[in-house]
Amino acid sequence: MPDHAWQVAEIRRAFQDSTGDVDYLGDWHSHPGGAAAMSNLGSATLRRIARRVKEPLMLIVAGSEINQDWSARCWKGRIDG
């Protein structure tokens, strides 16, 4: 379960410590035993991030730990208008 408050604090700290050279790029998660496809929750999360970050990325890694067959897909978020 993500700890949103901790993540935001760490992103802010890294940005400040780097004098603005390090910034938030996006989010990622895995779908063990599933497909590298965007779920409704993932899509809603990417839209929410895109309200605060210009063109964030969402990476999903999926596959099987049994046969080590993993794949990844990445989406770029954007708010039109």
Side-chain angles (χ1 to χ4, degrees):
M1 183 61 69
D3 183 342
H4 181 72
W6 178 85
Q7 290 174 343
V8 169
E10 286 299 299
I11 292 165
R12 185 172 290 122
R13 183 194 57 74
F15 182 78
Q16 290 171 346
D17 288 353
S18 72
T19 319
D21 285 339
V22 173
D23 204 351
Y24 180 77
L25 181 61
D27 196 39
W28 73 274
H29 63 276
S30 63
H31 291 177
M38 185 75 76
S39 67
N40 289 336
L41 177 59
S43 183
T45 300
L46 185 57
R47 279 193 305 275
R48 188 174 67 247
I49 295 168
R51 289 188 201 113
R52 298 185 64 173
V53 176
K54 183 179 178 183
E55 298 184 336
L57 301 178
M58 172 70 76
L59 175 71
I60 298 175
V61 180
S64 170
E65 294 180 13
I66 296 169
N67 62 15
Q68 301 297 312
D69 185 25
W70 289 82
S71 62
R73 289 189 65 197
C74 189
W75 291 262
K76 184 190 296 185
R78 187 178 74 198
I79 302 293
D80 291 330

